[in-house]
Amino acid sequence: MSSASDGLDPGTGGGSEEQRQRGIWILLAAALAFAVLVLPQVVEGDDTTSFAGSALPAGGASRPPTSPGGLPGVTPTGLPSASLPGYGSGDGGGGARPTGTQAPATPTPAPDPTEEAYRAVRPGDCLAVYDTGYGDYNTRMPVPVDCGAGRAFMWVSAVRGSGGACPQGPGQNYLSYTSRGRTTALCLTRQYKAGYCLLAEQTGSGRQARMNAGLMTVVDCEAKRVPARYNRILHITGVYQAPANASAANCARVRGDRTSYWSWLVNGGRTLLCTMVYQG
C-alpha cells in the first residue's frame, strides 16, 4: 500500500504534463506569429515619419520629407530647408529641435547682360557705336574696342547716373540704359578720322546754302540710299586743333584751294572738323 501511494498515477499525471507542453507550444507559436505578422508593420509605419521634425542621429543619412501625395517635399524658393520649422539638422542630439528660424533670403535678381556691359565701361574707353541716322545707334551693347581701331567711333569721357549729367554740344552725346530703376549713362565724344563720312542735310543753294550735319553719324561714303531726314554725305577731309577764330578757310589743304568746305568746331571748341560733299 505504501509503495502505491508514493508513486504517480500514469493516467492522470502524464496527461497533465502533455497538456502543459502543448500549452507552451501554443504560446510560442502565437509569439512567433506576432513577431512575423504584426511587428514589421509597426516598424515600417513608424519609419515613414521617424525623421519628420527631429534631428537625425549622428552618422544618419537624411531623407527628404514627403508631401501628402508621397512625392519628395519641395523647399520654397529662396528658403534653405534647415531654416524651415520641423526640418532638423544632424547634430547627434537625438531629439533636438532647431533653435530658431532664419529670415527668408532675398531672391537673387536674374542677370542683365546689357546692364553689366554698361557698368563695365570706364572713362577713357572707346566704343564701336555710332548714330545710324535713323534715330538710333547701331548697337545697344557698348563693347569697348582699342581706341586706335578704325571702328572706335566714340570716346567715353565720363560715366554718369543720367544722360543730363553728360556734356552736350557738337560731337557730344550720351548712351544710357536703365535697369531695376538704376540708370547708367555713358558720356560720348565723337572721334573723327579723315577719310570717313557722315550724314548731313543741305537746305538752299549758293550763298544761301546751309548744312546741318549729323555729327554723331557714320555712313558708307558710297551709300546709294540715306535716311529720309538727310540728303548729303559729307567726306571728312581733316581734323585739326582749332586755331583762334577758326572757320572753313582754315580747312584749305593747299595754297589756292578752291574746294567748298563745311566746318564745325567740336570737342568743346577745341577741334576743327573739316568736310566736303562727297564726290565719289
Side-chain angles (χ1 to χ4, degrees):
M1 293 295 291
S2 60
S3 60
S5 62
D6 292 337
L8 296 175
D9 188 331
T12 59
S16 298
E17 182 63 25
E18 182 178 352
Q19 290 177 356
R20 284 195 297 272
Q21 292 179 357
R22 184 180 297 113
I24 292 172
W25 282 112
I26 292 174
L27 290 175
L28 289 175
L32 180 59
F34 177 84
V36 172
L37 300 177
V38 179
L39 185 57
Q41 296 179 2
V42 173
V43 173
E44 181 180 356
D46 182 69
D47 186 63
T48 61
T49 58
S50 60
F51 297 144
S54 63
L56 296 177
S62 63
R63 208 176 42 169
T66 57
S67 62
L71 299 177
V74 178
T75 302
T77 302
L79 292 177
S81 60
S83 70
L84 295 177
Y87 286 12
S89 59
D91 60 0
R97 301 289 181 179
T99 57
T101 59
Q102 300 175 358
T106 302
T108 301
D112 185 338
T114 304
E115 180 188 27
E116 293 173 0
Y118 270 75
R119 295 184 63 78
V121 175
R122 296 291 181 265
D125 286 345
C126 288
L127 308 176
V129 300
Y130 60 87
D131 184 350
T132 65
Y134 290 97
D136 59 3
Y137 283 83
N138 63 312
T139 179
R140 295 292 295 175
M141 188 66 74
V143 180
V145 297
D146 188 289
C147 287
R151 59 195 184 102
F153 303 115
M154 302 293 174
W155 176 71
V156 180
S157 62
V159 179
R160 298 286 185 257
S162 69
C166 291
Q168 298 292 311
Q172 294 176 315
N173 209 329
Y174 67 88
L175 194 62
S176 67
Y177 182 77
T178 300
S179 178
R180 305 182 184 94
R182 180 172 56 184
T183 298
T184 303
L186 309 179
C187 305
L188 305 178
T189 296
R190 173 68 191 277
Q191 288 205 128
Y192 299 100
K193 296 181 176 67
Y196 284 66
C197 288
L198 52 84
L199 294 163
E201 178 192 21
Q202 179 179 336
T203 58
S205 60
R207 293 181 177 275
Q208 303 301 317
R210 294 290 182 271
M211 194 74 72
N212 298 312
L215 294 175
M216 306 298 281
T217 64
V218 174
V219 66
D220 181 354
C221 293
E222 297 184 351
K224 303 303 181 183
R225 298 177 59 188
V226 298
R229 61 183 295 189
Y230 298 106
N231 57 15
R232 290 288 182 269
I233 293 178
L234 298 182
H235 185 227
I236 299 175
T237 60
V239 183
Y240 311 107
Q241 181 175 347
N245 302 314
S247 69
N250 299 112
C251 292
R253 289 170 286 177
V254 296
R255 185 181 296 274
D257 188 354
R258 299 181 64 83
T259 304
S260 295
Y261 291 101
W262 298 93
S263 68
W264 288 265
L265 287 173
V266 296
N267 191 24
R270 295 184 292 273
T271 301
L272 175 65
L273 173 66
C274 296
T275 71
M276 59 177 286
V277 174
Y278 184 72
Q279 303 295 331

